[in-house]
Amino acid sequence: MDQDWLSLKMSDHILVISWAFFATVFILIALGTLRNLIYIKRKQSTARNFTWLMIMMVLYSVLAMPVAHESVRFGSAFWKTASLVILFIVINFIIINALRVAWVNYLNKKQKLGCFWGGFLLLPIQIYFTVRFQGVNPIYPFSPVLERFIEIGNIFLSVYLVVAFLALLAHLPTAKLFDRKLQQISSLHFLSRAVSSEFDVDKLVRTIVQLTTKVTEADFAWLELQHENDQQLRLVSSCRLDQTERDNKDVCFSDPLVQKIIRDRSTFSSNQAVKNSHSSHLRNWKHDLGSLIAVPLATGERVVGILYAGKTYEFGFEQEDGEMLRAFGDQAVIALENARLVKESLIKERLEQELKVAHDAQMKLLPIDMPTLPGIAIDAVCITANEVGGDYYDFFKLSPTKLGVIIGDVSGKGASAAFYMAEVKGIMESLARPDLSPKDMMCAANETLYQNFSRNIFISVVYAVLDSEANTFTFCRAGHCPVLFMSSEDEFCKRFEPRGLGLGLDSGKIFKSVLDEVTIPLKKGHTMMLYTDGVTESRNPDGEEFGENRLSEILQSVHRKSALEIKKQVIHAVFTFLDGERAYDDMTFVVIKDME
Amino acid sequence: MENFNVNCKDVDELSILYLEGFLDAHTAPLLESEIQKLVDRDRYKLIVNFKDLNYISSAGLGVFMGFVETIRSNQGDIKMCCMPSKIFRVFDLLGFPSLYDIVDGEEEAVKLYRNSEAESSVKQNSSQKS
């Protein structure tokens, strides 16, 4: 310290400057690292304390200047005192900051050991250098401020490292336990992530079993789940069980252990599994069984599976292993349920898609374009309740002036009705001929359908022939809803319900004798409506039926409008009546209007 | 979903089915299995009481059609009684009265069976005499 900077040789200059450079870099890096360590688990005051320490360290360093220069106006004694006071404050802040060693907690056992040995070797060197250069640092002649800063920085580093080392020492004995807790928590965390991301049941059960061995540090683990078909438990995945063990593990509800777990719906834990009456029989299956934990996987009241973890030696599990596995099992069952639901909804979605295709296909069976007949306007609609249904209407152009109109309803619902409907359409199309009266046509259709359809299937139909030349509407009602008729002069709607039997109910004799054919003369303004029972039987939220009377009333009120407008009004009226209630059956109707 | 229930009572050689609730495509299999059981027991003389039935769909009607041939070919029949007017309307529209005996009361249905038995025994007697 007595040496003067100017009196030094050139080679010494270089030495001192490089020494100063490396020492400064070292201390800045060290302070940066300490700052990061101190800021782990930071509180509001952490940053403030550290900043104050830095400020005080700089202040203390700066004070080296007046102390070194005797020429300053105030005596050197004043600056020395001031330096001491600041040093005292700096030391206080060093201690405060040095106690921030929370990061030690979060090292795993391996890291803790690494740090311990690292500190064991490096700490003495650090302390040695700090003490060795105390007050005799060669930088002093170059810059007393820098010298002081490096000095106080080293002290801080040393103190901090000593405290951290001691904290590490204190944490070493619990390192293993801490590690295990971390492991368990991360496994649980991993599983809860899997809950929301893994929908493949096979992968999921593998993950569950593997994590089970981690959570409990078990030697082997396996999972038994209820099979969809027979509800029996089966081994679905295992970890560290050999092939023979996997093959030989037959599970059934009569197994005393399974029975106990399902009955109690609580964790089974035994540190001497072969001596426990409930699990002793497992010895025949797995010879090296020592300790065993089994937890039920339950959704609501139902046990859907059992998760097992085992060790090859006795007294391998602690009380909390059971609790941990239980918590783990609760997560696992959520994951499994989730995966199952996703699978179900995928299947459902696919079915819905297929039904939509079927619906589109069926809609194509219905005529899109309305037929034209001189002076007569026709409109029709079919609203299906399900994706596919048994309602149907069609038109046959019999001659330039003759049009066949058919509306029908196949018994039953859904897909089966839809198939029959398609077949009925084909049969009717092939039978429709201009020279065939509605009655003859129905008799022929009945014969074919009776022979080809199963007995419990029948079809109700109204078949009508419109003749624009003779101005007649001739029809038969084969078990179907009546035909509504409205003339422009009348105030009320007429309901035509001639006798008739559904198609496919009788071999032919009764059918023919029962069926009546009716002819109505057509005049301008006459309106006819053919409909299926889906219209009249649709129910509102109170369970009330739309009924024939309401339908007649609507026709009475709108019959002067065009066929298209009548159709719209009827649909509107029915849906207003339904009031948001879902239609239970297909709704179909045909409106025929004489315009001339 | 509304409920449907069938109760079956044997009276001598007759079996009376009491239908209750909502008979549609979903509940029809229940009635089907009930009638199948009777047929399996060789009981072919059925009376179906509709008193407590609220609704019948075409699938429900189909159940009777599915069995009537077998039952009639075994000298049995399905006779129907006590139909509420709404239910009768469905049967009537389809023309079922021309295929089945539909009567007002259970006793009348029983009487129909007894009369036809008497008739057939008279026939038998007369054929024996001749």
Side-chain angles (χ1 to χ4, degrees):
Chain A
M1 247 206 256
D2 311 340
Q3 283 172 305
D4 194 334
W5 173 248
L6 298 170
S7 67
L8 288 174
K9 280 185 290 181
M10 188 63 183
S11 60
D12 288 336
H13 276 191
I14 296 169
L15 194 75
V16 167
I17 287 174
S18 29
W19 177 272
F21 176 74
F22 285 114
T24 312
V25 170
F26 170 75
I27 213 68
L28 287 177
I29 292 175
L31 285 175
T33 315
L34 288 186
R35 179 179 175 275
N36 289 344
L37 289 175
I38 286 167
Y39 276 22
I40 290 175
K41 290 288 272 184
R42 65 189 284 179
K43 289 186 289 195
Q44 220 172 12
S45 57
T46 310
R48 200 180 57 211
N49 289 338
F50 189 77
T51 315
W52 272 112
L53 172 64
M54 291 300 116
I55 292 170
M56 286 302 158
M57 272 168 68
V58 171
L59 191 62
Y60 174 68
S61 310
V62 171
L63 281 177
M65 221 152 38
V67 171
H69 293 276
E70 300 293 333
S71 58
V72 179
R73 193 146 48 99
F74 301 101
S76 69
F78 170 80
W79 294 113
K80 277 189 177 155
T81 320
S83 279
L84 275 177
V85 171
I86 299 294
L87 181 64
F88 178 73
I89 297 172
V90 168
I91 287 170
N92 267 304
F93 274 110
I94 285 179
I95 292 168
I96 289 171
N97 279 286
L99 291 173
R100 307 263 332 142
V101 287
W103 54 273
V104 171
N105 277 317
Y106 300 96
L107 301 178
N108 63 33
K109 196 187 167 197
K110 222 166 136 186
Q111 289 167 323
K112 275 175 186 156
L113 278 175
C115 286
F116 175 76
W117 288 114
F120 193 75
L121 294 173
L122 292 174
L123 205 54
I125 302 174
Q126 165 67 22
I127 293 168
Y128 169 75
F129 275 100
T130 310
V131 177
R132 164 74 181 72
F133 289 106
Q134 190 66 35
V136 291
N137 201 311
I139 308 167
Y140 183 79
F142 167 63
S143 165
V145 174
L146 197 60
E147 187 266 344
R148 256 201 186 181
F149 187 73
I150 290 166
E151 197 180 274
I152 197 70
N154 263 314
I155 290 173
F156 176 41
L157 183 62
S158 303
V159 171
Y160 190 85
L161 289 181
V162 168
V163 173
F165 188 75
L166 291 175
L168 201 62
L169 213 59
H171 275 101
L172 267 185
T174 55
K176 190 169 175 260
L177 199 70
F178 194 79
D179 260 21
R180 251 192 89 186
K181 277 271 168 242
L182 271 184
Q183 171 84 286
Q184 289 174 338
I185 289 164
S186 72
S187 297
L188 268 183
H189 179 67
F190 188 82
L191 187 70
S192 53
R193 273 220 319 270
V195 171
S196 53
S197 59
E198 185 58 71
F199 300 123
D200 181 343
V201 177
D202 292 337
K203 269 194 206 156
L204 194 62
V205 292
R206 273 204 301 277
T207 314
I208 289 170
V209 174
Q210 261 157 19
L211 289 176
T212 301
T213 57
K214 279 193 182 164
V215 166
T216 56
E217 292 187 318
D219 294 323
F220 46 87
W222 73 95
L223 173 66
E224 290 165 5
L225 281 182
Q226 255 184 1
H227 197 267
E228 285 167 18
N229 299 344
D230 55 8
Q231 309 294 306
Q232 287 285 346
L233 290 174
R234 307 241 168 105
L235 189 143
V236 291
S237 185
S238 63
C239 189
R240 288 183 228 133
L241 288 185
D242 61 34
Q243 188 65 43
T244 2
E245 284 166 347
R246 278 203 297 275
D247 292 346
N248 292 340
K249 181 79 178 91
D250 46 282
V251 203
C252 55
F253 284 121
S254 58
D255 183 306
L257 182 57
V258 171
Q259 267 188 342
K260 179 180 160 53
I261 291 168
I262 287 178
R263 193 183 56 233
D264 300 349
R265 290 205 290 131
S266 64
T267 311
F268 170 83
S269 173
S270 173
N271 268 325
Q272 288 178 297
V274 290
K275 295 194 181 117
N276 188 302
S277 60
H278 292 107
S279 57
S280 57
H281 63 288
L282 289 173
R283 182 177 37 194
N284 302 330
W285 166 66
K286 189 156 176 60
H287 302 289
D288 56 353
L289 182 67
S291 322
L292 184 72
I293 304 180
V295 294
L297 303 183
T299 55
E301 292 293 300
R302 206 163 58 96
V303 175
V304 295
I306 300 174
L307 183 60
Y308 299 84
K311 288 191 180 181
T312 49
Y313 49 93
E314 293 188 342
F315 297 101
F317 290 118
E318 290 159 32
Q319 166 87 29
E320 60 167 31
D321 285 321
E323 288 158 17
M324 199 67 207
L325 194 63
R326 184 67 194 256
F328 184 76
D330 289 344
Q331 283 279 317
V333 80
I334 294 171
L336 287 167
E337 271 302 285
N338 220 12
R340 192 180 61 80
L341 289 175
V342 166
K343 195 172 151 196
E344 264 177 19
S345 74
L346 280 179
I347 293 173
K348 211 174 145 217
E349 206 172 287
R350 210 188 64 215
L351 282 178
E352 274 170 9
Q353 189 57 36
E354 279 170 15
L355 277 173
K356 199 186 163 300
V357 173
H359 170 83
D360 293 346
Q362 195 184 20
M363 284 298 118
K364 286 200 179 107
L365 294 178
L366 300 175
I368 301 163
D369 298 323
M370 291 303 134
T372 49
L373 200 66
I376 288 171
I378 294 178
D379 219 312
V381 69
C382 173
I383 302 161
T384 49
N386 301 303
E387 282 75 6
V388 289
D391 269 17
Y392 134 92
Y393 66 86
D394 208 353
F395 307 109
F396 314 111
K397 193 87 186 169
L398 303 171
S399 79
T401 56
K402 267 187 172 180
L403 181 79
V405 179
I406 191 163
I407 186 167
D409 180 2
V410 177
S411 70
K413 278 173 89 77
S416 79
F419 280 118
Y420 286 115
M421 172 249 160
E423 203 172 336
V424 169
K425 180 188 158 80
I427 290 170
M428 294 299 178
E429 239 166 32
S430 68
L431 287 176
R433 286 202 315 269
D435 56 327
L436 224 52
S437 74
K439 180 165 178 169
D440 292 341
M441 158 101 167
M442 286 295 99
C443 287
N446 178 59
E447 204 174 307
T448 315
L449 290 169
Y450 186 80
Q451 281 163 12
N452 290 301
F453 279 17
S454 78
R455 276 298 91 87
N456 55 348
I457 301 294
F458 51 87
I459 304 101
S460 72
V461 157
V462 166
Y463 177 62
V465 173
L466 274 162
D467 191 331
S468 67
E469 201 174 36
N471 275 323
T472 52
F473 179 81
T474 311
F475 72 97
C476 279
R477 188 190 66 87
H480 199 72
C481 299
V483 172
L484 297 184
F485 175 85
M486 188 78 210
S487 95
S488 52
E489 299 104 50
D490 291 341
E491 196 181 334
F492 295 108
C493 172
K494 272 192 199 127
R495 216 177 277 168
F496 282 94
E497 196 180 316
R499 288 199 322 145
L501 191 58
L503 301 172
L505 288 170
D506 171 73
S507 60
K509 213 174 132 198
I510 301 178
F511 183 86
K512 196 171 178 181
S513 70
V514 164
L515 195 68
D516 284 345
E517 192 177 273
V518 177
T519 301
I520 311 171
L522 276 186
K523 269 207 237 156
K524 187 180 178 203
H526 283 184
T527 310
M528 270 83 56
M529 185 166 166
L530 320 181
Y531 64 92
T532 60
D533 56 7
V535 178
T536 47
E537 284 180 8
S538 61
R539 285 160 185 259
N540 69 5
D542 299 330
E544 198 186 341
E545 276 189 5
F546 188 70
E548 292 174 344
N549 289 339
R550 272 199 192 83
L551 188 62
S552 304
E553 280 162 22
I554 288 159
L555 189 63
Q556 282 159 28
S557 66
V558 298
H559 75 98
R560 286 177 207 284
K561 299 198 159 97
S562 70
L564 174 71
E565 193 56 32
I566 293 170
K567 178 183 87 172
K568 282 184 184 165
Q569 293 284 340
V570 173
I571 293 174
H572 177 73
V574 172
F575 277 95
T576 311
F577 176 79
L578 277 175
D579 196 16
E581 189 79 352
R582 201 172 161 272
Y584 185 73
D585 198 0
D586 301 345
M587 287 189 263
T588 307
F589 62 87
V590 180
V591 180
I592 301 162
K593 178 138 190 165
D594 193 330
M595 313 284 284
E596 283 185 343
Chain B
M1 195 70 249
E2 280 163 85
N3 287 332
F4 171 72
N5 205 11
V6 200
N7 287 309
C8 188
K9 188 174 89 178
D10 286 355
V11 179
D12 302 330
E13 82 283 14
L14 307 179
S15 294
I16 309 174
L17 290 156
Y18 296 90
L19 312 189
E20 199 183 312
F22 207 80
L23 179 56
D24 65 2
H26 298 285
T27 53
L30 197 68
L31 176 62
E32 214 164 67
S33 73
E34 205 61 34
I35 299 182
Q36 186 62 52
K37 270 188 230 160
L38 291 173
V39 171
D40 290 344
R41 282 165 54 214
D42 292 328
R43 297 194 66 91
Y44 298 109
K45 298 192 169 173
L46 312 188
I47 296 174
V48 186
N49 188 322
F50 290 84
K51 192 164 76 77
D52 295 316
L53 195 72
N54 299 325
Y55 173 84
I56 188 162
S57 80
S58 54
L61 297 170
V63 175
F64 302 112
M65 292 311 301
F67 284 103
V68 75
E69 236 166 54
T70 325
I71 285 174
R72 284 188 180 153
S73 66
N74 283 287
Q75 285 75 50
D77 196 13
I78 302 175
K79 297 193 193 298
M80 304 174 176
C81 69
C82 313
M83 277 190 194
S85 60
K86 244 172 64 186
I87 303 285
F88 179 74
R89 172 86 182 133
V90 178
F91 277 87
D92 188 37
L93 267 180
L94 260 167
F96 266 49
S98 57
L99 302 174
Y100 293 89
D101 291 321
I102 303 177
V103 293
D104 287 342
E106 210 174 288
E107 307 77 37
E108 288 174 60
V110 175
K111 221 179 272 169
L112 281 177
Y113 273 117
R114 301 277 183 256
N115 288 348
S116 65
E117 271 165 37
E119 256 174 48
S120 61
S121 64
V122 168
K123 268 185 204 161
Q124 267 180 0
N125 286 344
S126 57
S127 64
Q128 274 170 0
K129 273 178 198 167
S130 66

